[in-house]
Amino acid sequence: GPVFSAHVTISVHDEIDGGSITGDQTICYGDAPYSGFNNVVLPSGGSNTFSYKWQFSENGSIWTDILVNNSSYTHLGNLFATTHFRRVATDAQCSVPQGISNTITVTVHPEFIPGTIAIPTTAVCYGESPGTINETVPATGGVGITSYKWYMNIGLGWSEIVGETGTTYDVPNLTQTTTYRRWAMRLP
């Protein structure tokens, strides 16, 4: 009758798990993340010998590689939009599928725009006031309460007008050509 050959056993590595990372944070427009993205749980499965790369995305669906072969990562670049990051682990023997970690998010506050100012007239007679410098477009973006300061320049550099912290400025009677500007900042 029939005779069986010796048997062959095929070992199957465990499914690759991408592990998990931490590092969600919120920053101001144009800042770099203030802390790194750290490993919480290392990837597992496969032959357990991994190489890494990191990826970023502004929309969560199109990912761009960052060639950093480490389980943790510190992003040193400045960000101008909310950006998502994840770690991709590739096993030495089982390159497909890759192990993808959870996604972390660096939320970027909207850019702070200081607004604009204007005055109805830009020429007056000696000793007259041109009136009030008004806010034509309010400050937007950023986060927090907006603070203001006013500055003047009579040709010798800018100097702060002490005590003037409003959105508008009542210009006093002038005896020389003077330029004004408003400083604005959002404080959390």
Side-chain angles (χ1 to χ4, degrees):
V3 177
F4 289 99
S5 66
H7 66 275
V8 175
T9 302
I10 300 172
S11 297
V12 176
H13 290 294
D14 290 337
E15 182 177 8
I16 295 175
D17 181 302
S20 61
I21 56 175
T22 186
D24 288 335
Q25 54 195 279
T26 301
I27 62 172
C28 291
Y29 181 88
D31 285 352
Y34 56 82
S35 67
F37 312 139
N38 297 310
N39 177 66
V40 175
V41 176
L42 284 170
S44 61
S47 67
N48 273 320
T49 303
F50 294 99
S51 60
Y52 302 99
K53 69 180 175 184
W54 286 75
Q55 295 179 326
F56 72 93
S57 173
E58 289 184 2
N59 63 15
S61 60
I62 299 171
W63 294 90
T64 302
D65 289 346
I66 304 168
L67 301 177
V68 174
N69 187 10
N70 199 337
S71 62
S72 296
Y73 172 62
T74 299
H75 184 78
L76 301 176
N78 297 349
L79 298 177
F80 301 94
T82 294
T83 306
H84 311 283
F85 293 87
R86 68 185 184 183
R87 179 183 63 201
V88 178
T90 302
D91 185 75
Q93 290 182 13
C94 306
S95 60
V96 177
Q98 295 175 317
I100 298 175
S101 71
N102 58 302
T103 298
I104 57 174
T105 301
V106 178
T107 302
V108 178
H109 288 299
E111 180 179 12
F112 178 68
I113 308 294
T116 57
I117 57 173
I119 192 162
T121 183
T122 57
V124 295
C125 294
Y126 184 92
E128 289 184 338
S129 169
T132 300
I133 301 174
N134 293 303
E135 177 178 68
T136 55
V137 176
T140 60
V143 64
I145 299 168
T146 305
S147 296
Y148 299 100
K149 293 181 183 180
W150 286 86
Y151 289 81
M152 62 181 284
N153 186 341
I154 57 171
L156 303 172
W158 292 100
S159 58
E160 183 180 344
I161 305 169
V162 178
E164 292 297 331
T165 59
T167 58
T168 63
Y169 176 65
D170 293 324
V171 181
N173 294 340
L174 300 175
T175 57
Q176 58 189 320
T177 298
T178 308
T179 303
Y180 294 92
R181 69 181 178 187
R182 184 183 71 181
W183 171 92
M185 179 178 182
R186 286 269 164 97
L187 302 171

